[in-house]
PDB file of all heavy atoms in Angstrom:
ATOM      1  N   ARG A   1      29.244   4.950   7.852  1.00 95.00           N
ATOM      2  CA  ARG A   1      29.222   5.452   6.473  1.00 95.00           C
ATOM      3  C   ARG A   1      30.368   6.401   6.163  1.00 95.00           C
ATOM      4  O   ARG A   1      30.469   6.881   5.039  1.00 95.00           O
ATOM      5  CB  ARG A   1      27.884   6.146   6.197  1.00 95.00           C
ATOM      6  CG  ARG A   1      26.708   5.189   6.159  1.00 95.00           C
ATOM      7  CD  ARG A   1      25.394   5.912   5.915  1.00 95.00           C
ATOM      8  NE  ARG A   1      24.304   4.953   5.830  1.00 95.00           N
ATOM      9  CZ  ARG A   1      23.604   4.512   6.877  1.00 95.00           C
ATOM     10  NH1 ARG A   1      23.893   4.950   8.085  1.00 95.00           N
ATOM     11  NH2 ARG A   1      22.630   3.640   6.715  1.00 95.00           N
ATOM     12  N   GLY A   2      31.207   6.713   7.147  1.00 96.00           N
ATOM     13  CA  GLY A   2      32.347   7.577   6.866  1.00 96.00           C
ATOM     14  C   GLY A   2      32.568   8.633   7.915  1.00 96.00           C
ATOM     15  O   GLY A   2      31.950   8.639   8.984  1.00 96.00           O
ATOM     16  N   GLY A   3      33.460   9.581   7.603  1.00 96.00           N
ATOM     17  CA  GLY A   3      33.843  10.616   8.534  1.00 96.00           C
ATOM     18  C   GLY A   3      32.669  11.484   8.965  1.00 96.00           C
ATOM     19  O   GLY A   3      31.957  12.051   8.139  1.00 96.00           O
ATOM     20  N   LEU A   4      32.477  11.597  10.284  1.00 95.00           N
ATOM     21  CA  LEU A   4      31.408  12.395  10.875  1.00 95.00           C
ATOM     22  C   LEU A   4      32.025  13.433  11.791  1.00 95.00           C
ATOM     23  O   LEU A   4      32.824  13.092  12.666  1.00 95.00           O
ATOM     24  CB  LEU A   4      30.457  11.498  11.666  1.00 95.00           C
ATOM     25  CG  LEU A   4      29.427  12.188  12.563  1.00 95.00           C
ATOM     26  CD1 LEU A   4      28.421  12.967  11.736  1.00 95.00           C
ATOM     27  CD2 LEU A   4      28.715  11.164  13.440  1.00 95.00           C
ATOM     28  N   ALA A   5      31.672  14.712  11.601  1.00 95.00           N
ATOM     29  CA  ALA A   5      32.216  15.778  12.437  1.00 95.00           C
ATOM     30  C   ALA A   5      31.104  16.729  12.844  1.00 95.00           C
ATOM     31  O   ALA A   5      30.264  17.100  12.021  1.00 95.00           O
ATOM     32  CB  ALA A   5      33.313  16.541  11.702  1.00 95.00           C
ATOM     33  N   HIS A   6      31.103  17.103  14.120  1.00 95.00           N
ATOM     34  CA  HIS A   6      30.182  18.106  14.648  1.00 95.00           C
ATOM     35  C   HIS A   6      31.014  19.288  15.137  1.00 95.00           C
ATOM     36  O   HIS A   6      31.901  19.123  15.978  1.00 95.00           O
ATOM     37  CB  HIS A   6      29.352  17.537  15.802  1.00 95.00           C
ATOM     38  CG  HIS A   6      28.275  16.608  15.365  1.00 95.00           C
ATOM     39  ND1 HIS A   6      27.025  16.599  15.940  1.00 95.00           N
ATOM     40  CD2 HIS A   6      28.240  15.653  14.397  1.00 95.00           C
ATOM     41  CE1 HIS A   6      26.262  15.681  15.350  1.00 95.00           C
ATOM     42  NE2 HIS A   6      26.993  15.089  14.429  1.00 95.00           N
ATOM     43  N   TYR A   7      30.726  20.449  14.593  1.00 96.00           N
ATOM     44  CA  TYR A   7      31.455  21.672  14.931  1.00 96.00           C
ATOM     45  C   TYR A   7      30.585  22.550  15.827  1.00 96.00           C
ATOM     46  O   TYR A   7      29.394  22.729  15.554  1.00 96.00           O
ATOM     47  CB  TYR A   7      31.819  22.442  13.672  1.00 96.00           C
ATOM     48  CG  TYR A   7      32.824  21.756  12.777  1.00 96.00           C
ATOM     49  CD1 TYR A   7      32.433  20.771  11.874  1.00 96.00           C
ATOM     50  CD2 TYR A   7      34.176  22.104  12.825  1.00 96.00           C
ATOM     51  CE1 TYR A   7      33.355  20.148  11.042  1.00 96.00           C
ATOM     52  CE2 TYR A   7      35.101  21.485  11.991  1.00 96.00           C
ATOM     53  CZ  TYR A   7      34.680  20.508  11.107  1.00 96.00           C
ATOM     54  OH  TYR A   7      35.593  19.894  10.283  1.00 96.00           O
ATOM     55  N   ILE A   8      31.179  23.136  16.872  1.00 95.00           N
ATOM     56  CA  ILE A   8      30.416  23.942  17.806  1.00 95.00           C
ATOM     57  C   ILE A   8      31.178  25.215  18.162  1.00 95.00           C
ATOM     58  O   ILE A   8      32.407  25.209  18.276  1.00 95.00           O
ATOM     59  CB  ILE A   8      30.081  23.144  19.085  1.00 95.00           C
ATOM     60  CG1 ILE A   8      29.079  23.893  19.969  1.00 95.00           C
ATOM     61  CG2 ILE A   8      31.351  22.819  19.873  1.00 95.00           C
ATOM     62  CD1 ILE A   8      28.518  23.051  21.107  1.00 95.00           C
ATOM     63  N   VAL A   9      30.427  26.295  18.278  1.00 96.00           N
ATOM     64  CA  VAL A   9      30.950  27.564  18.793  1.00 96.00           C
ATOM     65  C   VAL A   9      30.137  27.902  20.039  1.00 96.00           C
ATOM     66  O   VAL A   9      28.901  27.900  19.996  1.00 96.00           O
ATOM     67  CB  VAL A   9      30.831  28.695  17.755  1.00 96.00           C
ATOM     68  CG1 VAL A   9      31.338  30.011  18.354  1.00 96.00           C
ATOM     69  CG2 VAL A   9      31.618  28.354  16.497  1.00 96.00           C
ATOM     70  N   ILE A  10      30.804  28.157  21.151  1.00 93.00           N
ATOM     71  CA  ILE A  10      30.146  28.429  22.428  1.00 93.00           C
ATOM     72  C   ILE A  10      30.508  29.846  22.876  1.00 93.00           C
ATOM     73  O   ILE A  10      31.678  30.237  22.837  1.00 93.00           O
ATOM     74  CB  ILE A  10      30.577  27.413  23.504  1.00 93.00           C
ATOM     75  CG1 ILE A  10      30.161  25.999  23.097  1.00 93.00           C
ATOM     76  CG2 ILE A  10      29.958  27.764  24.858  1.00 93.00           C
ATOM     77  CD1 ILE A  10      30.674  24.915  24.024  1.00 93.00           C
ATOM     78  N   LYS A  11      29.501  30.602  23.274  1.00 94.00           N
ATOM     79  CA  LYS A  11      29.709  31.932  23.841  1.00 94.00           C
ATOM     80  C   LYS A  11      28.896  32.047  25.122  1.00 94.00           C
ATOM     81  O   LYS A  11      27.689  31.775  25.120  1.00 94.00           O
ATOM     82  CB  LYS A  11      29.301  33.017  22.848  1.00 94.00           C
ATOM     83  CG  LYS A  11      30.200  33.094  21.618  1.00 94.00           C
ATOM     84  CD  LYS A  11      29.809  34.248  20.703  1.00 94.00           C
ATOM     85  CE  LYS A  11      30.732  34.307  19.486  1.00 94.00           C
ATOM     86  NZ  LYS A  11      30.346  35.427  18.574  1.00 94.00           N
ATOM     87  N   ASP A  12      29.557  32.443  26.206  1.00 90.00           N
ATOM     88  CA  ASP A  12      28.905  32.617  27.501  1.00 90.00           C
ATOM     89  C   ASP A  12      28.107  31.373  27.910  1.00 90.00           C
ATOM     90  O   ASP A  12      26.949  31.456  28.329  1.00 90.00           O
ATOM     91  CB  ASP A  12      27.991  33.842  27.476  1.00 90.00           C
ATOM     92  CG  ASP A  12      28.770  35.130  27.217  1.00 90.00           C
ATOM     93  OD1 ASP A  12      29.906  35.220  27.708  1.00 90.00           O
ATOM     94  OD2 ASP A  12      28.244  36.011  26.518  1.00 90.00           O
ATOM     95  N   GLU A  13      28.744  30.200  27.736  1.00 87.00           N
ATOM     96  CA  GLU A  13      28.195  28.907  28.156  1.00 87.00           C
ATOM     97  C   GLU A  13      26.976  28.466  27.340  1.00 87.00           C
ATOM     98  O   GLU A  13      26.278  27.520  27.712  1.00 87.00           O
ATOM     99  CB  GLU A  13      27.836  28.913  29.651  1.00 87.00           C
ATOM    100  CG  GLU A  13      29.013  29.230  30.560  1.00 87.00           C
ATOM    101  CD  GLU A  13      28.643  29.203  32.027  1.00 87.00           C
ATOM    102  OE1 GLU A  13      27.592  28.626  32.357  1.00 87.00           O
ATOM    103  OE2 GLU A  13      29.394  29.770  32.839  1.00 87.00           O
ATOM    104  N   LYS A  14      26.706  29.151  26.212  1.00 90.00           N
ATOM    105  CA  LYS A  14      25.579  28.768  25.354  1.00 90.00           C
ATOM    106  C   LYS A  14      26.080  28.485  23.941  1.00 90.00           C
ATOM    107  O   LYS A  14      27.098  29.024  23.504  1.00 90.00           O
ATOM    108  CB  LYS A  14      24.521  29.879  25.304  1.00 90.00           C
ATOM    109  CG  LYS A  14      23.854  30.154  26.639  1.00 90.00           C
ATOM    110  CD  LYS A  14      22.827  31.274  26.508  1.00 90.00           C
ATOM    111  CE  LYS A  14      22.173  31.573  27.841  1.00 90.00           C
ATOM    112  NZ  LYS A  14      21.187  32.686  27.733  1.00 90.00           N
ATOM    113  N   ILE A  15      25.343  27.645  23.241  1.00 92.00           N
ATOM    114  CA  ILE A  15      25.706  27.323  21.861  1.00 92.00           C
ATOM    115  C   ILE A  15      25.407  28.523  20.974  1.00 92.00           C
ATOM    116  O   ILE A  15      24.269  28.986  20.890  1.00 92.00           O
ATOM    117  CB  ILE A  15      24.923  26.091  21.355  1.00 92.00           C
ATOM    118  CG1 ILE A  15      25.288  24.851  22.177  1.00 92.00           C
ATOM    119  CG2 ILE A  15      25.213  25.849  19.879  1.00 92.00           C
ATOM    120  CD1 ILE A  15      24.440  23.638  21.858  1.00 92.00           C
ATOM    121  N   ASP A  16      26.444  29.040  20.303  1.00 95.00           N
ATOM    122  CA  ASP A  16      26.274  30.159  19.381  1.00 95.00           C
ATOM    123  C   ASP A  16      26.124  29.678  17.941  1.00 95.00           C
ATOM    124  O   ASP A  16      25.425  30.296  17.152  1.00 95.00           O
ATOM    125  CB  ASP A  16      27.471  31.106  19.494  1.00 95.00           C
ATOM    126  CG  ASP A  16      27.299  32.369  18.671  1.00 95.00           C
ATOM    127  OD1 ASP A  16      26.394  33.166  18.998  1.00 95.00           O
ATOM    128  OD2 ASP A  16      28.048  32.552  17.701  1.00 95.00           O
ATOM    129  N   ASN A  17      26.786  28.576  17.606  1.00 97.00           N
ATOM    130  CA  ASN A  17      26.656  27.985  16.265  1.00 97.00           C
ATOM    131  C   ASN A  17      26.960  26.498  16.362  1.00 97.00           C
ATOM    132  O   ASN A  17      27.831  26.089  17.117  1.00 97.00           O
ATOM    133  CB  ASN A  17      27.604  28.651  15.266  1.00 97.00           C
ATOM    134  CG  ASN A  17      27.243  28.350  13.814  1.00 97.00           C
ATOM    135  OD1 ASN A  17      26.232  27.703  13.532  1.00 97.00           O
ATOM    136  ND2 ASN A  17      28.063  28.821  12.887  1.00 97.00           N
ATOM    137  N   TYR A  18      26.212  25.715  15.632  1.00 96.00           N
ATOM    138  CA  TYR A  18      26.411  24.254  15.639  1.00 96.00           C
ATOM    139  C   TYR A  18      26.176  23.746  14.220  1.00 96.00           C
ATOM    140  O   TYR A  18      25.112  23.972  13.637  1.00 96.00           O
ATOM    141  CB  TYR A  18      25.434  23.585  16.603  1.00 96.00           C
ATOM    142  CG  TYR A  18      25.810  22.172  16.994  1.00 96.00           C
ATOM    143  CD1 TYR A  18      26.349  21.899  18.252  1.00 96.00           C
ATOM    144  CD2 TYR A  18      25.657  21.103  16.120  1.00 96.00           C
ATOM    145  CE1 TYR A  18      26.715  20.616  18.629  1.00 96.00           C
ATOM    146  CE2 TYR A  18      26.018  19.821  16.482  1.00 96.00           C
ATOM    147  CZ  TYR A  18      26.543  19.581  17.738  1.00 96.00           C
ATOM    148  OH  TYR A  18      26.911  18.296  18.097  1.00 96.00           O
ATOM    149  N   GLN A  19      27.170  23.095  13.659  1.00 96.00           N
ATOM    150  CA  GLN A  19      27.072  22.578  12.301  1.00 96.00           C
ATOM    151  C   GLN A  19      27.592  21.136  12.278  1.00 96.00           C
ATOM    152  O   GLN A  19      28.630  20.846  12.873  1.00 96.00           O
ATOM    153  CB  GLN A  19      27.901  23.421  11.321  1.00 96.00           C
ATOM    154  CG  GLN A  19      27.485  24.878  11.237  1.00 96.00           C
ATOM    155  CD  GLN A  19      26.217  25.075  10.433  1.00 96.00           C
ATOM    156  OE1 GLN A  19      25.952  24.351   9.458  1.00 96.00           O
ATOM    157  NE2 GLN A  19      25.411  26.057  10.818  1.00 96.00           N
ATOM    158  N   ALA A  20      26.868  20.266  11.623  1.00 95.00           N
ATOM    159  CA  ALA A  20      27.289  18.867  11.469  1.00 95.00           C
ATOM    160  C   ALA A  20      27.605  18.601  10.001  1.00 95.00           C
ATOM    161  O   ALA A  20      26.816  18.931   9.117  1.00 95.00           O
ATOM    162  CB  ALA A  20      26.194  17.921  11.947  1.00 95.00           C
ATOM    163  N   VAL A  21      28.772  18.037   9.766  1.00 95.00           N
ATOM    164  CA  VAL A  21      29.156  17.600   8.418  1.00 95.00           C
ATOM    165  C   VAL A  21      29.204  16.080   8.457  1.00 95.00           C
ATOM    166  O   VAL A  21      30.131  15.488   9.006  1.00 95.00           O
ATOM    167  CB  VAL A  21      30.516  18.182   7.996  1.00 95.00           C
ATOM    168  CG1 VAL A  21      30.819  17.803   6.543  1.00 95.00           C
ATOM    169  CG2 VAL A  21      30.510  19.710   8.152  1.00 95.00           C
ATOM    170  N   VAL A  22      28.184  15.456   7.890  1.00 95.00           N
ATOM    171  CA  VAL A  22      27.979  14.019   8.061  1.00 95.00           C
ATOM    172  C   VAL A  22      28.462  13.252   6.832  1.00 95.00           C
ATOM    173  O   VAL A  22      28.684  13.842   5.768  1.00 95.00           O
ATOM    174  CB  VAL A  22      26.492  13.722   8.344  1.00 95.00           C
ATOM    175  CG1 VAL A  22      26.007  14.516   9.551  1.00 95.00           C
ATOM    176  CG2 VAL A  22      25.633  14.040   7.122  1.00 95.00           C
ATOM    177  N   PRO A  23      28.640  11.922   6.938  1.00 96.00           N
ATOM    178  CA  PRO A  23      29.148  11.158   5.792  1.00 96.00           C
ATOM    179  C   PRO A  23      28.352  11.349   4.507  1.00 96.00           C
ATOM    180  O   PRO A  23      28.931  11.512   3.422  1.00 96.00           O
ATOM    181  CB  PRO A  23      29.072   9.708   6.282  1.00 96.00           C
ATOM    182  CG  PRO A  23      29.197   9.801   7.762  1.00 96.00           C
ATOM    183  CD  PRO A  23      28.504  11.072   8.147  1.00 96.00           C
ATOM    184  N   SER A  24      27.018  11.325   4.611  1.00 93.00           N
ATOM    185  CA  SER A  24      26.221  11.458   3.388  1.00 93.00           C
ATOM    186  C   SER A  24      26.278  12.868   2.816  1.00 93.00           C
ATOM    187  O   SER A  24      25.930  13.070   1.653  1.00 93.00           O
ATOM    188  CB  SER A  24      24.765  11.040   3.644  1.00 93.00           C
ATOM    189  OG  SER A  24      24.690   9.639   3.862  1.00 93.00           O
ATOM    190  N   THR A  25      26.691  13.876   3.619  1.00 95.00           N
ATOM    191  CA  THR A  25      26.924  15.194   3.048  1.00 95.00           C
ATOM    192  C   THR A  25      28.112  15.140   2.103  1.00 95.00           C
ATOM    193  O   THR A  25      28.073  15.698   1.005  1.00 95.00           O
ATOM    194  CB  THR A  25      27.193  16.234   4.153  1.00 95.00           C
ATOM    195  OG1 THR A  25      26.296  16.031   5.233  1.00 95.00           O
ATOM    196  CG2 THR A  25      27.026  17.639   3.614  1.00 95.00           C
ATOM    197  N   TRP A  26      29.174  14.459   2.535  1.00 97.00           N
ATOM    198  CA  TRP A  26      30.338  14.308   1.655  1.00 97.00           C
ATOM    199  C   TRP A  26      29.986  13.500   0.404  1.00 97.00           C
ATOM    200  O   TRP A  26      30.323  13.892  -0.719  1.00 97.00           O
ATOM    201  CB  TRP A  26      31.474  13.605   2.405  1.00 97.00           C
ATOM    202  CG  TRP A  26      32.181  14.457   3.399  1.00 97.00           C
ATOM    203  CD1 TRP A  26      32.040  14.438   4.757  1.00 97.00           C
ATOM    204  CD2 TRP A  26      33.155  15.470   3.120  1.00 97.00           C
ATOM    205  NE1 TRP A  26      32.860  15.375   5.344  1.00 97.00           N
ATOM    206  CE2 TRP A  26      33.558  16.016   4.372  1.00 97.00           C
ATOM    207  CE3 TRP A  26      33.732  15.966   1.955  1.00 97.00           C
ATOM    208  CZ2 TRP A  26      34.512  17.041   4.468  1.00 97.00           C
ATOM    209  CZ3 TRP A  26      34.679  16.985   2.052  1.00 97.00           C
ATOM    210  CH2 TRP A  26      35.051  17.505   3.289  1.00 97.00           C
ATOM    211  N   ASN A  27      29.318  12.368   0.583  1.00 97.00           N
ATOM    212  CA  ASN A  27      29.112  11.451  -0.543  1.00 97.00           C
ATOM    213  C   ASN A  27      27.960  11.852  -1.451  1.00 97.00           C
ATOM    214  O   ASN A  27      28.037  11.699  -2.672  1.00 97.00           O
ATOM    215  CB  ASN A  27      28.880  10.031  -0.030  1.00 97.00           C
ATOM    216  CG  ASN A  27      30.126   9.399   0.547  1.00 97.00           C
ATOM    217  OD1 ASN A  27      31.248   9.769   0.193  1.00 97.00           O
ATOM    218  ND2 ASN A  27      29.956   8.438   1.439  1.00 97.00           N
ATOM    219  N   ALA A  28      26.873  12.339  -0.865  1.00 96.00           N
ATOM    220  CA  ALA A  28      25.662  12.606  -1.647  1.00 96.00           C
ATOM    221  C   ALA A  28      25.465  14.078  -1.957  1.00 96.00           C
ATOM    222  O   ALA A  28      24.485  14.438  -2.609  1.00 96.00           O
ATOM    223  CB  ALA A  28      24.434  12.076  -0.897  1.00 96.00           C
ATOM    224  N   GLY A  29      26.362  14.937  -1.487  1.00 96.00           N
ATOM    225  CA  GLY A  29      26.201  16.365  -1.708  1.00 96.00           C
ATOM    226  C   GLY A  29      26.226  16.735  -3.181  1.00 96.00           C
ATOM    227  O   GLY A  29      26.773  16.001  -4.023  1.00 96.00           O
ATOM    228  N   PRO A  30      25.646  17.886  -3.524  1.00 96.00           N
ATOM    229  CA  PRO A  30      25.567  18.310  -4.924  1.00 96.00           C
ATOM    230  C   PRO A  30      26.875  18.912  -5.414  1.00 96.00           C
ATOM    231  O   PRO A  30      27.881  18.922  -4.704  1.00 96.00           O
ATOM    232  CB  PRO A  30      24.455  19.365  -4.886  1.00 96.00           C
ATOM    233  CG  PRO A  30      24.593  19.976  -3.517  1.00 96.00           C
ATOM    234  CD  PRO A  30      24.991  18.834  -2.612  1.00 96.00           C
ATOM    235  N   ARG A  31      26.834  19.443  -6.627  1.00 97.00           N
ATOM    236  CA  ARG A  31      28.016  20.078  -7.206  1.00 97.00           C
ATOM    237  C   ARG A  31      28.310  21.407  -6.512  1.00 97.00           C
ATOM    238  O   ARG A  31      27.450  22.004  -5.891  1.00 97.00           O
ATOM    239  CB  ARG A  31      27.799  20.295  -8.701  1.00 97.00           C
ATOM    240  CG  ARG A  31      27.886  18.995  -9.502  1.00 97.00           C
ATOM    241  CD  ARG A  31      27.533  19.231 -10.948  1.00 97.00           C
ATOM    242  NE  ARG A  31      26.073  19.337 -11.118  1.00 97.00           N
ATOM    243  CZ  ARG A  31      25.492  19.805 -12.226  1.00 97.00           C
ATOM    244  NH1 ARG A  31      26.242  20.243 -13.219  1.00 97.00           N
ATOM    245  NH2 ARG A  31      24.184  19.853 -12.316  1.00 97.00           N
ATOM    246  N   ASP A  32      29.551  21.843  -6.636  1.00 96.00           N
ATOM    247  CA  ASP A  32      29.987  23.088  -6.007  1.00 96.00           C
ATOM    248  C   ASP A  32      30.086  24.193  -7.071  1.00 96.00           C
ATOM    249  O   ASP A  32      29.755  23.970  -8.236  1.00 96.00           O
ATOM    250  CB  ASP A  32      31.312  22.872  -5.276  1.00 96.00           C
ATOM    251  CG  ASP A  32      32.424  22.387  -6.199  1.00 96.00           C
ATOM    252  OD1 ASP A  32      32.342  22.648  -7.418  1.00 96.00           O
ATOM    253  OD2 ASP A  32      33.379  21.745  -5.704  1.00 96.00           O
ATOM    254  N   PRO A  33      30.528  25.403  -6.710  1.00 96.00           N
ATOM    255  CA  PRO A  33      30.616  26.474  -7.710  1.00 96.00           C
ATOM    256  C   PRO A  33      31.530  26.157  -8.887  1.00 96.00           C
ATOM    257  O   PRO A  33      31.361  26.721  -9.975  1.00 96.00           O
ATOM    258  CB  PRO A  33      31.154  27.668  -6.897  1.00 96.00           C
ATOM    259  CG  PRO A  33      30.718  27.402  -5.499  1.00 96.00           C
ATOM    260  CD  PRO A  33      30.794  25.911  -5.339  1.00 96.00           C
ATOM    261  N   GLN A  34      32.491  25.273  -8.688  1.00 95.00           N
ATOM    262  CA  GLN A  34      33.380  24.860  -9.797  1.00 95.00           C
ATOM    263  C   GLN A  34      32.803  23.688 -10.594  1.00 95.00           C
ATOM    264  O   GLN A  34      33.471  23.105 -11.435  1.00 95.00           O
ATOM    265  CB  GLN A  34      34.759  24.491  -9.248  1.00 95.00           C
ATOM    266  CG  GLN A  34      35.624  25.684  -8.861  1.00 95.00           C
ATOM    267  CD  GLN A  34      35.085  26.400  -7.639  1.00 95.00           C
ATOM    268  OE1 GLN A  34      34.755  25.765  -6.636  1.00 95.00           O
ATOM    269  NE2 GLN A  34      34.993  27.722  -7.713  1.00 95.00           N
ATOM    270  N   ASN A  35      31.557  23.323 -10.268  1.00 95.00           N
ATOM    271  CA  ASN A  35      30.842  22.246 -10.947  1.00 95.00           C
ATOM    272  C   ASN A  35      31.444  20.870 -10.680  1.00 95.00           C
ATOM    273  O   ASN A  35      31.226  19.924 -11.438  1.00 95.00           O
ATOM    274  CB  ASN A  35      30.760  22.478 -12.462  1.00 95.00           C
ATOM    275  CG  ASN A  35      29.477  21.926 -13.051  1.00 95.00           C
ATOM    276  OD1 ASN A  35      28.420  21.976 -12.423  1.00 95.00           O
ATOM    277  ND2 ASN A  35      29.564  21.396 -14.257  1.00 95.00           N
ATOM    278  N   GLN A  36      32.196  20.740  -9.579  1.00 96.00           N
ATOM    279  CA  GLN A  36      32.700  19.432  -9.184  1.00 96.00           C
ATOM    280  C   GLN A  36      31.563  18.607  -8.585  1.00 96.00           C
ATOM    281  O   GLN A  36      30.877  19.064  -7.661  1.00 96.00           O
ATOM    282  CB  GLN A  36      33.798  19.565  -8.123  1.00 96.00           C
ATOM    283  CG  GLN A  36      35.068  20.219  -8.575  1.00 96.00           C
ATOM    284  CD  GLN A  36      36.082  20.259  -7.451  1.00 96.00           C
ATOM    285  OE1 GLN A  36      37.000  19.433  -7.377  1.00 96.00           O
ATOM    286  NE2 GLN A  36      35.952  21.234  -6.561  1.00 96.00           N
ATOM    287  N   ALA A  37      31.379  17.422  -9.096  1.00 97.00           N
ATOM    288  CA  ALA A  37      30.323  16.544  -8.588  1.00 97.00           C
ATOM    289  C   ALA A  37      30.732  15.935  -7.257  1.00 97.00           C
ATOM    290  O   ALA A  37      31.923  15.791  -6.959  1.00 97.00           O
ATOM    291  CB  ALA A  37      30.032  15.443  -9.598  1.00 97.00           C
ATOM    292  N   GLY A  38      29.728  15.572  -6.449  1.00 97.00           N
ATOM    293  CA  GLY A  38      29.983  14.793  -5.252  1.00 97.00           C
ATOM    294  C   GLY A  38      30.232  13.340  -5.601  1.00 97.00           C
ATOM    295  O   GLY A  38      30.192  12.943  -6.779  1.00 97.00           O
ATOM    296  N   ALA A  39      30.471  12.518  -4.586  1.00 97.00           N
ATOM    297  CA  ALA A  39      30.881  11.128  -4.813  1.00 97.00           C
ATOM    298  C   ALA A  39      29.798  10.311  -5.528  1.00 97.00           C
ATOM    299  O   ALA A  39      30.108   9.532  -6.440  1.00 97.00           O
ATOM    300  CB  ALA A  39      31.266  10.472  -3.494  1.00 97.00           C
TER     301      ALA A  39
END
């Protein structure tokens, strides 16, 4: 369905933050503060 990215921050061999930006987030996501619509 499109570009898929998983972002990770590791501290002391443990996951400190993990965020996934998936294809449907890009395509189906809502409007932003500038009122730009998603795909």
Side-chain angles (χ1 to χ4, degrees):
R1 291 179 178 88
L4 169 66
H6 285 220
Y7 293 82
I8 190 169
V9 178
I10 298 174
K11 293 184 180 179
D12 298 324
E13 302 181 18
K14 296 180 181 179
I15 297 173
D16 186 66
N17 196 4
Y18 197 105
Q19 300 284 326
V21 185
V22 304
S24 291
T25 318
W26 285 103
N27 289 335
R31 286 174 282 166
D32 59 24
Q34 284 69 48
N35 213 36
Q36 294 181 100

